[in-house]
Amino acid sequence: SFPLSGALLAYLAGVDGAETLTVHILGPEPAAELRCRRKWLAMLAALPHVRSLRLLFCGPRVPARLDGVAEELVLTEASGGGGAGSGGGGRGAGGRLSLAFLRGDYHHRRPEAPAKFRQEQLAIAFHPGLAEHVADWAPSLRPLLCRGTPVGLTAYHPPEAELDAR
């Protein structure tokens, strides 16, 4: 799942211990990352030290109706918050998930993000197809890498991952 992959990438990047974690999701697709937005509560539930998870979704395929929208969800026991003995760490229910959406190229729209979403600790692009679209991605990835922001990339299968890594 995208949320659990995001939690794993946060762990691998070493940012999973932050009380407040801000992650930028680059190039989200309406039928994938943006479908059923409540699913992202699973990422919060999988990060027991994080009390506030802020996700900024930015890309040209963000629906126009979501452009500039911000929303907040609360982790409850029913949504996976668990409680004592649940194996979910000490947080239990009560974590906050904040979502914000910007339509357009990340490198152009990032400065317009709401203030609390601007300082990303991790950026993720799910299945970006870098091997075929490196020229399109470079203007967005270059500033992140120059700032020292960890960038997590996923691929559909090992051959694509090998091509993307070049």
Side-chain angles (χ1 to χ4, degrees):
S1 79
F2 293 111
L4 295 181
S5 294
L8 176 61
L9 290 167
Y11 169 77
L12 293 172
V15 297
D16 61 313
E19 188 169 310
T20 298
L21 177 60
T22 302
V23 179
H24 290 183
I25 309 293
L26 311 181
E29 294 287 335
E33 297 93 335
L34 298 174
R35 186 168 180 249
C36 186
R37 295 186 302 273
R38 294 189 60 78
K39 70 182 169 204
W40 290 98
L41 286 166
M43 182 174 176
L44 178 59
L47 298 168
H49 299 291
V50 177
R51 295 196 54 75
S52 177
L53 177 60
R54 299 170 178 165
L55 301 178
L56 172 68
F57 296 87
C58 185
R61 294 182 153 216
V62 169
R65 65 181 166 71
L66 288 178
D67 188 24
V69 170
E71 55 190 39
E72 195 163 296
L73 304 169
V74 177
L75 185 65
T76 64
E77 287 190 35
S79 63
S86 69
R91 180 193 57 238
R96 295 208 168 277
L97 172 64
S98 301
L99 308 171
F101 307 90
L102 293 174
R103 179 182 176 93
D105 292 332
Y106 177 77
H107 55 282
H108 290 136
R109 295 297 310 271
R110 181 187 178 273
E112 300 172 40
K116 73 178 187 177
F117 290 91
R118 285 194 194 135
Q119 296 304 312
E120 75 285 338
Q121 292 146 287
L122 174 65
I124 300 173
F126 292 102
H127 314 312
L130 287 182
E132 296 177 21
H133 305 287
V134 69
D136 296 330
W137 280 101
S140 292
L141 294 177
R142 191 173 294 117
L144 288 164
L145 296 171
C146 287
R147 284 194 298 274
T149 301
V151 177
L153 305 169
T154 65
Y156 283 108
H157 45 71
E160 181 185 17
E162 289 173 17
L163 287 171
D164 286 352
R166 292 183 190 173

